[in-house]
Amino acid sequence: MTINEKKSAIQYNALKSWSDNGFIGCMLIATGVGKSRIGTIAAAEFIKRNNNEKTLVTVSRTNLKKDEWVNEFAKWNYTQHNVTIECHQSAYKKTGEYYDTLVVDECHNVLSEKYSNLIKNNKFKRILFLTATLNKKKIKFLEELGIPIIFTYSADQASNDGIICENQKFTIMTNFLYKESETYKEINKKITNLNGAIGSKNNAFPLVQDFLNNGFTFNNLSKDVCKGIAGRYMTCVNNRKRLLYNAQRKKDITLDLIEYFGNKSIIIFSEETQFCDEIHTLIQERFGDISVVYHSKVSPPKLKIANLDAFRKGNKQVLISAQALNEGLNIPSVEVGIIVSGNSSQLVKIQREGRIFRYEEGKKAFIVHLCVEDTIEELWIAKSYDGRSKPIIIHDITDINL
């Protein structure tokens, strides 16, 4: 079977599972397998058969609404007649409306009480939720809404079946500069002291989050005292993250990696717009006009679209993104993902890999994490993989075999 035949068979089985379950359910399908095509068929096929039917598709970002999903309809020869595409942030406010079919893309973003109002306050004959993975808490919430998991196809299955391209994953270990290291030690000392005040030996973060989100006080302290301690704690945690995200040697290694990978198409994933803008300037200075930036602070919005389009068409080699393109971007020609900011989320890890590992004939893809050694960043990266096909740890970029 060809790759497309394999993908079509998986998509058929997924849609059959939806049909067998009365057209209500959630699918967990690895990126690159054809999740969007499944959603497009679910959204448009019933309208094709009955011109009076209506479908609502909800998506996580504006670029998915205006570009990616519109392209999917055109790609599979469906019109958007009677199909409404809205962002999750506005769709949940609907009340008293009826749609024959609801398709929720990247549903992990909406499994909360607020967003569940879309289901509770409107009527749908058919419901399909789509995502790559869900944690146990979100699966439980989904089931409480009456939406079971009906089909699963993991990234490991996709790799074993040859649905995604040949790939290698690495973590390059680096170090802080001396001043950065001293600042990191100082922040860690403050966090340790605050852990004690909060009543936790090692990690007070869950207790602080419980206070901030639910108002539950900690260590028998008053609400006002808890508020002050929690504020100082979160300031320290955020300062530590920012220090790790913007470590100087990560910038140096990123530039060296761009040179090492030659003409390969690259996405740089960051957690902060500051890093994006700084590395963009450094790339321009060293290599010339080969990079574009895509994040929430790029203005005007038309510039963001133009930047993405330039990268998609191959006019720019490097795309630098701060979270905005973790999901939904479909450019199979991308060969390299440089992840400069550690993140403990398995979902974010899967999404970023999905941007890079999409199949293209003869393609070999690379994911490269940058990690400051002997810091909490090592724990974040390990947690995101949770024992699954961990990256190879290296200290020199020449250990990456092209």
Side-chain angles (χ1 to χ4, degrees), residues 257-266 317 402:
L257 282 167
I258 292 170
E259 183 172 354
Y260 186 70
F261 280 116
N263 294 323
K264 293 184 183 296
S265 179
I266 299 169
Q317 180 192 348
L402 301 180

Side-chain angles (χ1 to χ4, degrees), residues 111-252:
L111 296 180
S112 65
E113 286 296 336
K114 180 174 79 170
Y115 289 109
S116 68
N117 286 332
L118 176 64
I119 304 292
K120 296 174 181 176
N121 297 336
N122 301 277
K123 291 185 178 181
F124 307 95
K125 189 193 302 183
R126 310 176 196 93
I127 298 175
L128 177 61
F129 277 34
L130 296 166
T131 187
T133 187
L134 290 176
N135 60 34
K136 291 179 181 178
K137 183 178 179 181
K138 291 194 173 183
I139 289 174
K140 183 179 178 182
F141 187 88
L142 193 66
E143 290 171 344
E144 288 172 355
L145 280 177
I147 302 172
I149 305 296
I150 56 170
F151 187 83
T152 301
Y153 188 84
S154 69
D156 287 341
Q157 286 175 283
S159 182
N160 292 335
D161 292 342
I163 300 294
I164 58 177
C165 70
E166 179 187 353
N167 61 80
Q168 287 187 293
K169 293 175 273 192
F170 298 91
T171 297
I172 298 180
M173 307 303 293
T174 187
N175 296 292
F176 279 133
L177 299 178
Y178 176 77
K179 187 175 180 180
E180 292 172 332
S181 179
E182 292 302 299
T183 302
Y184 183 82
K185 290 174 185 176
E186 188 178 314
I187 294 172
N188 266 356
K189 185 176 179 180
K190 290 179 181 178
I191 290 174
T192 298
N193 291 336
L194 287 166
N195 280 340
I198 293 165
S200 172
K201 289 183 179 180
N202 300 312
N203 181 17
F205 189 77
L207 292 173
V208 171
Q209 287 298 295
D210 213 16
F211 169 72
L212 294 174
N213 295 331
N214 304 310
F216 296 131
T217 57
F218 45 75
N219 210 19
N220 297 316
L221 299 172
S222 70
K223 193 168 185 178
D224 285 343
V225 173
C226 286
K227 184 178 180 180
I229 293 174
R232 293 197 297 276
Y233 179 87
M234 290 308 300
T235 296
C236 288
V237 167
N238 289 329
N239 286 342
R240 181 171 66 179
K241 280 184 179 180
R242 208 163 286 119
L243 186 66
L244 286 162
Y245 292 164
N246 294 287
Q248 178 58 45
R249 284 184 174 145
K250 287 186 176 182
K251 298 169 189 172
D252 299 334

Side-chain angles (χ1 to χ4, degrees), residues 370-382:
L370 305 188
C371 179
V372 180
E373 201 161 17
D374 298 323
T375 68
I376 196 170
E377 196 166 35
E378 289 188 62
L379 178 63
W380 293 343
I381 294 172

